Amino acid sequence: MESLQGQGPQGLQGQGPQGLRKPPSAEELAAAADKLEKNANLLVKSNDSEIIRQTLRLYGSLFVGLFLLFCYLRRRFPKLYNVRSWAPKLKCRLALMQSYGFFSWAWDVFKVSDDDLLHNCGMDATCFVRCLRLGIKLSLVGCFNAIWLIPTFYTATGLEELEEEDKFVLMSVANLHPGSPRFAAVVVAAYITVIMSLYLLSNEYQWYIEYRH
């Protein structure tokens, strides 16, 4: 503080324009822009495809292993996995059916009607199963959007000038340049998803009102 006070206004004024930083020149701005573009290209050159492959290897292996284990334990310990087939107060016709094979149960359960499920298992179980079915239908909407979104992104003139291309990036919205008219496809896909979600939810509400009351 004393050193600053000792300078006084004259000491600060004595620095003059030399104390101020000069504005960058056109060459410096161009060099900074080139550096930013190179950094952006490095970010784009991500290894997303390898990450997805590793994820599928890890979680896909876990899923297959646990699925086979469940199929084996379900047949090996039926009383543990099918309580309603032997508990006196919980017995029901669906649980007494032993026609489900080692793998066939995975698609045979979809043949059970809502009326049978409601009569044998109750409203809570039926609503839970319908909620799972709703999730499958919403996933199919996303798969439908992917059918036409992926070609829309992949055929865009986006990142083909890069030396190292990630095919997964080329199939995503990251392949579009800022201001590309193909961004409209994302908006259309969002509208399709919202409209189909509202339609499917409306059907579920109508079913619930009909069977609940």
Side-chain angles (χ1 to χ4, degrees):
M1 291 295 293
E2 294 179 357
S3 60
L4 292 177
Q5 293 176 358
Q7 292 180 2
Q10 296 179 355
L12 294 176
Q13 294 176 358
Q15 294 181 2
Q18 298 178 355
L20 301 177
R21 184 176 181 180
K22 295 181 180 180
S25 62
E27 292 78 6
E28 292 176 345
L29 291 175
D34 292 339
K35 185 176 181 180
L36 288 175
E37 184 177 359
K38 291 180 180 179
N39 291 336
N41 289 339
L42 289 176
L43 291 176
V44 171
K45 293 179 183 179
S46 59
N47 200 10
D48 293 339
S49 298
E50 183 60 28
I51 294 175
I52 293 177
R53 283 193 292 268
Q54 292 179 358
T55 302
L56 291 177
R57 293 192 193 102
L58 175 61
Y59 293 103
S61 301
L62 288 175
F63 171 76
V64 172
L66 292 176
F67 178 77
L68 294 176
L69 180 63
F70 173 78
C71 292
Y72 169 75
L73 294 178
R74 188 186 67 84
R75 299 284 299 254
R76 183 66 176 81
F77 305 102
K79 289 188 176 181
L80 182 62
Y81 287 89
N82 194 6
V83 179
R84 284 178 173 267
S85 64
W86 60 270
K89 296 182 179 181
L90 299 177
K91 282 186 178 181
C92 65
R93 182 179 58 84
L94 290 178
L96 294 175
M97 296 174 59
Q98 301 295 330
S99 60
Y100 300 124
F102 191 84
F103 290 114
S104 62
W105 66 267
W107 52 83
D108 284 341
V109 292
F110 288 99
K111 300 178 182 179
V112 180
S113 64
D114 290 340
D115 292 335
D116 288 340
L117 193 62
L118 183 64
H119 177 73
N120 290 275
C121 302
M123 189 68 175
D124 293 341
T126 307
C127 290
F128 178 72
V129 172
R130 288 186 66 91
C131 182
L132 297 179
R133 291 176 185 169
L134 176 63
I136 295 176
K137 296 176 183 178
L138 292 176
S139 300
L140 292 177
V141 174
C143 294
F144 167 76
N145 285 332
I147 292 175
W148 61 276
L149 279 178
I150 291 177
T152 302
F153 299 147
Y154 191 81
T155 57
T157 56
L159 307 178
E160 67 277 358
E161 69 274 6
L162 297 180
E163 296 179 359
E164 296 182 5
E165 296 177 350
D166 190 335
K167 297 300 182 182
F168 182 78
V169 175
L170 295 177
M171 293 186 296
S172 68
V173 71
N175 192 38
L176 302 182
H177 280 304
S180 173
R182 300 198 180 200
F183 276 109
V186 182
V187 179
V188 174
Y191 272 100
I192 292 175
T193 302
V194 172
I195 292 173
M196 289 301 301
S197 299
L198 294 177
Y199 171 75
L200 294 173
L201 286 173
S202 176
N203 290 341
E204 294 301 319
Y205 286 138
Q206 292 177 4
W207 176 89
Y208 181 79
I209 292 173
E210 179 182 354
Y211 280 85
R212 184 64 179 85
H213 302 285

